[in-house]
């Protein structure tokens, strides 16, 4: 076994032992009571929220809501793509399924959900959407980030993820929102250039 693999294995075991007391709370009343929030950060609910915001903004003709919804959708899509690639690259047994044999190794393309703990997709999506809201509606930033942080943190006592999975997921979500923001700005600039070009063509075709 190479030194790199040995170090990864030792780190995985150390984190598994350190988080065992938290994972033991999986069936506690407190964790069960907050579980709906953790599940709300799954892909379908988050995308529904993002699309709902975009649709509501369009129907109500509210530019800020439209921009927020569009940024939420784009950020979530990028985060979903990024976490999917990472999960394929790393096989890591989830805490609740690891028993006394935590495992982390190079991805094998397995479809076994008990072995794709890294990174936390729930956290990636929640952070991406929360950051999108924060950028477009600064007043809602504290609440959005608090909800995303709580949803991510809950993944540990639920036994779904290790802390390092959650941290990696948060990083993926944050970076995804930044990438989506840059892409949206570029698209908006392109749209404005197209409108200006059409206006110039219209003016040339119908001079006053």
């Amino acid at each position: 076994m190479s030194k790199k693999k040995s170090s990864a294995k030792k780190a995985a075991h150390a984190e598994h032992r350190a988080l065992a007391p938290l994972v033991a709370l999986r069936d506690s009343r407190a964790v069960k009571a907050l579980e709906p929030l953790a599940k709300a950060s799954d892909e379908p609910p988050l995308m529904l929220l993002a699309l709902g915001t975009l649709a509501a903004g369009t129907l109500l003709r509210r530019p800020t809501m439209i921009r927020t919804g569009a940024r939420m959708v784009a950020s979530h899509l990028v985060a979903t793509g990024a976490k999917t690639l990472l999960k394929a690259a790393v096989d890591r047994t989830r805490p609740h399924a690891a028993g006394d044999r935590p495992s982390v190794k190079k991805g094998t393309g397995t479809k076994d959900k008990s072995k794709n703990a890294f990174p936390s997709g729930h956290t990636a999506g929640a952070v991406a959407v929360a950051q999108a809201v924060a950028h477009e509606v600064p007043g809602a930033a504290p609440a959005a980030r608090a909800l995303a942080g709580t949803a991510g943190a809950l993944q540990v006592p639920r036994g779904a993820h290790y802390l390092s999975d959650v941290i990696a997921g948060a990083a993926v979500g944050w970076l995804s929102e930044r990438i989506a923001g840059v892409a949206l700005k570029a698209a908006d600039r392109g749209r404005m250039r197209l409108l200006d070009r059409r206006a110039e063509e219209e003016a040339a075709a119908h001079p006053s």
Side-chain angles (χ1 to χ4, degrees), residues 157-204:
R158 287 183 69 223
H161 292 284
Y162 292 98
L163 181 59
S164 55
D165 302 331
V166 172
I167 293 173
V172 168
W174 184 88
L175 184 58
S176 295
E177 191 278 333
R178 300 307 300 160
I179 292 173
V182 171
L184 287 173
K185 283 184 179 179
D188 192 49
R189 286 195 298 268
R191 183 177 64 85
M192 293 303 297
R193 283 196 296 268
L194 179 59
L195 290 175
D196 289 341
R197 189 180 304 119
R198 286 180 177 176
E200 290 174 358
E201 291 173 352
E202 184 70 17

Side-chain angles (χ1 to χ4, degrees), residues 22-44:
L22 279 177
V23 178
L25 298 174
R26 187 183 181 195
D27 295 319
S28 68
R29 288 184 179 181
V31 173
K32 289 295 183 183
L34 292 170
E35 195 162 0
L37 174 59
K39 290 184 177 180
S41 62
D42 201 358
E43 287 179 34

